[in-house]
Amino acid sequence: MGNTQMIQRPIGRRITPQRTQFRRRAESAEIGTVTRAQVAVLAQNLPCTGLINGTESHLLVTLINTTPAESFEKSGRPIVFKSNQQLAFEIGRSIGCVSRTLSKLCDGGLLTMQDSGNYKRYPIRNGDGEITDACGIDLRILIARYAELNEFVRQARAEKKAAEAARRRFRGALRNARYALSAAEGLSEESLRRIGARIERLSYIVGIAGKASSRVLRRATALLERLIERLMKLPRRSTEAQETQDMTCPHVENGMHKQITSPHPFDKSNQERRSANAEQLSSPEAGSASKSAFEESLRRSRSESNQPRRVPQAMPALQDVIRAAPALMAYGVASTSWVDLVRSMRLMCSLVGISEDARARAVEQMGEQRAALAVALILEKYDRKEISSPGGYLRAMTDRAAAGELYLARSVFGLVARNSMEVRH
């Protein structure tokens, strides 16, 4: 039999490229630019950034306080030579906990370590007593990264302050909205019921204000303030989207835009524009997204649905989408770019009760931009009480898109024409 060669498990401290990079950075630190007190305060504040926890901060502060203040001045070297056993005694933890904590601090770039052959920590001095080399826990990386870490602490404090302000404002807006709802006058019971449902839906979406993000709280607060203005019958604020006199789309988002509507929107439309996929100018009161609410193309057989897809339709300009769906402004979803509209798609789905599965199917079939446009149109129709099953309506639109029978641009310009006629009347 051949000799069996045993591969010994490597012993010693783990060396990674990241730790090696931090060690090089520590060697280039300018000693004397930061005092020991500044570094100690920084170590105490680092837990607020999420980079380290309380135990790691306690150990780091202990290491900093162990070094003399002169070691942070010029010609000094802030290196700690205490053993893990002594450090464990000083912070009230086990030796294994200290070893693991030191490794985490090394991985986070908050200290570096240089080990001797027997893993002892000691300085090497010359004839004059000055330290020429040392094996121990090196804190120079804190001097090299002081400005970077201090900026992390400042940002964390600013974010916390902004989050607290957003929570206070949201709670106040929610309280004011409920009070305004109970004290509103001159509105029908149906309008009060719809506004009350919106307020409670916003409260449900946000959930616990202390756990919600600042972005969600700010958007919810803006929606509540709009509802309060509506209840108090205050004049609507000016919007960036200005109404134009014609429908020829003078503001185009890209050079590939194609004119797909008549420049005379108020003339009697022809048979093609009033096809099954075009938006009707006088839509009847639709109770739900049942068979009678959709076009004939939705009831075609499976064999007809498997026909080759048509050429994708050009996307309308974002300004036309905002004019077609005033509900976007009412719900605070109005956007200045398509990216913002896509990011608001989940919020729009939550407002009208569209499931995540229906949204995911629409994105997979249509793409994010067209799916966001479809949800925006559904939000407008839901606000007009023309549909009562937004989820089913979106699934039907997804099936139409799969068959190449979905014409979102026609719906956009049809809604724009309807809104213009309503304003004239």
Side-chain angles (χ1 to χ4, degrees):
M1 298 179 62
N3 295 331
T4 304
Q5 183 178 3
M6 300 296 294
I7 300 177
Q8 296 182 353
R9 180 175 178 268
I11 59 177
R13 196 171 306 281
R14 180 165 54 93
I15 301 299
T16 63
Q18 190 175 15
R19 290 186 178 185
T20 305
Q21 183 179 3
F22 284 138
R23 182 179 296 180
R24 289 181 180 179
R25 191 170 179 182
E27 293 174 355
S28 63
E30 297 182 4
I31 308 298
T33 57
V34 181
T35 64
R36 186 184 70 171
Q38 291 176 315
V39 176
V41 172
L42 174 64
Q44 292 176 350
N45 295 331
L46 279 177
C48 71
T49 64
L51 297 176
I52 59 177
N53 56 29
T55 301
E56 294 165 357
S57 175
H58 187 193
L59 177 59
L60 190 59
V61 172
T62 302
L63 293 172
I64 294 172
N65 292 333
T66 299
T67 59
E70 294 78 10
S71 62
F72 285 87
E73 299 177 357
K74 290 184 177 181
S75 71
R77 299 193 66 176
I79 300 178
V80 180
F81 306 106
K82 286 184 178 180
S83 64
N84 288 356
Q85 183 177 4
Q86 179 63 27
L87 292 173
F89 172 76
E90 292 183 5
I91 68 173
R93 294 291 189 272
S94 64
I95 299 176
C97 177
V98 170
S99 178
R100 291 189 298 271
T101 304
L102 289 175
S103 297
K104 292 180 181 178
L105 293 175
C106 285
D107 293 333
L110 299 177
L111 56 85
T112 59
M113 301 183 69
Q114 182 175 349
D115 296 323
S116 63
N118 57 359
Y119 301 105
K120 299 296 183 179
R121 297 168 184 162
Y122 55 87
I124 301 175
R125 304 179 183 272
N126 57 13
D128 298 331
E130 298 178 353
I131 298 177
T132 59
D133 197 3
C135 297
I137 304 174
D138 195 344
L139 302 178
R140 289 180 295 176
I141 187 64
L142 292 175
I143 300 176
R145 299 186 62 192
Y146 178 80
E148 174 189 355
L149 297 174
N150 195 39
E151 179 64 18
F152 288 161
V153 173
R154 188 195 67 79
Q155 291 179 0
R157 289 178 173 176
E159 291 175 0
K160 181 181 179 182
K161 185 177 181 180
E164 291 178 351
R167 285 194 291 268
R168 289 194 299 267
R169 186 175 178 185
F170 169 76
R171 293 190 181 105
L174 182 61
R175 180 174 61 251
N176 293 337
R178 288 171 174 169
Y179 179 80
L181 181 65
S182 62
E185 298 178 355
L187 294 177
S188 63
E189 294 183 0
E190 180 65 19
S191 298
L192 293 176
R193 185 189 64 80
R194 291 175 58 188
I195 296 176
R198 290 181 184 179
I199 295 174
E200 298 306 322
R201 183 182 289 272
L202 286 173
S203 176
Y204 174 77
I205 292 174
V206 173
I208 301 176
K211 297 182 179 180
S213 63
S214 300
R215 179 175 176 271
V216 172
L217 291 173
R218 287 194 297 267
R219 299 197 67 174
T221 301
L223 291 174
L224 290 173
E225 290 176 351
R226 290 178 183 273
L227 294 177
I228 293 173
E229 293 175 357
R230 183 174 177 182
L231 289 170
M232 297 289 99
K233 295 183 178 181
L234 299 178
R236 182 175 296 182
R237 300 178 183 179
S238 60
T239 59
E240 295 182 359
Q242 299 179 357
E243 295 292 335
T244 56
Q245 297 298 327
D246 53 37
M247 307 292 292
T248 56
C249 308
H251 304 286
V252 181
E253 299 242 339
N254 52 61
M256 298 298 296
H257 180 78
K258 296 180 181 180
Q259 183 65 39
I260 56 176
T261 188
S262 169
H264 306 287
F266 305 111
D267 294 344
K268 186 175 181 180
S269 58
N270 55 28
Q271 185 65 25
E272 181 181 357
R273 289 187 58 198
R274 299 183 63 87
S275 61
N277 299 288
E279 184 69 25
Q280 303 299 324
L281 296 181
S282 57
S283 176
E285 292 292 334
S288 63
S290 59
K291 293 182 179 180
S292 59
F294 300 112
E295 291 79 355
E296 288 293 331
S297 60
L298 298 180
R299 296 194 287 267
R300 293 182 178 179
S301 61
R302 181 176 301 179
S303 60
E304 294 178 347
S305 298
N306 293 331
Q307 296 296 327
R309 297 183 182 179
R310 301 181 181 179
V311 179
Q313 299 293 323
M315 292 291 292
L318 182 62
Q319 183 182 3
D320 294 320
V321 177
I322 296 175
R323 294 164 60 192
L328 294 175
M329 297 295 295
Y331 284 93
V333 191
S335 306
T336 57
S337 66
W338 281 104
V339 176
D340 294 337
L341 188 64
V342 170
R343 290 176 179 173
S344 303
M345 183 163 50
R346 293 182 181 272
L347 174 61
M348 291 188 291
C349 291
S350 300
L351 291 173
V352 298
I354 296 177
S355 65
E356 180 65 21
D357 178 68
R359 187 200 66 82
R361 280 192 56 200
V363 172
E364 180 181 1
Q365 183 61 45
M366 307 181 199
E368 289 187 344
Q369 202 172 36
R370 289 173 60 83
L373 175 57
V375 174
L377 296 176
I378 290 176
L379 178 64
E380 174 64 21
K381 293 183 179 182
Y382 181 78
D383 188 66
R384 291 172 173 267
K385 292 187 176 181
E386 295 180 2
I387 58 175
S388 60
S389 179
Y393 201 90
L394 180 60
R395 292 181 186 275
M397 295 178 74
T398 304
D399 294 338
R400 271 202 345 235
E405 301 290 338
L406 185 63
Y407 300 91
L408 295 175
R410 293 184 180 181
S411 297
V412 168
F413 294 120
L415 284 172
V416 170
R418 290 175 56 186
N419 294 337
S420 301
M421 293 180 66
E422 291 174 358
V423 169
R424 287 192 174 189
H425 292 307

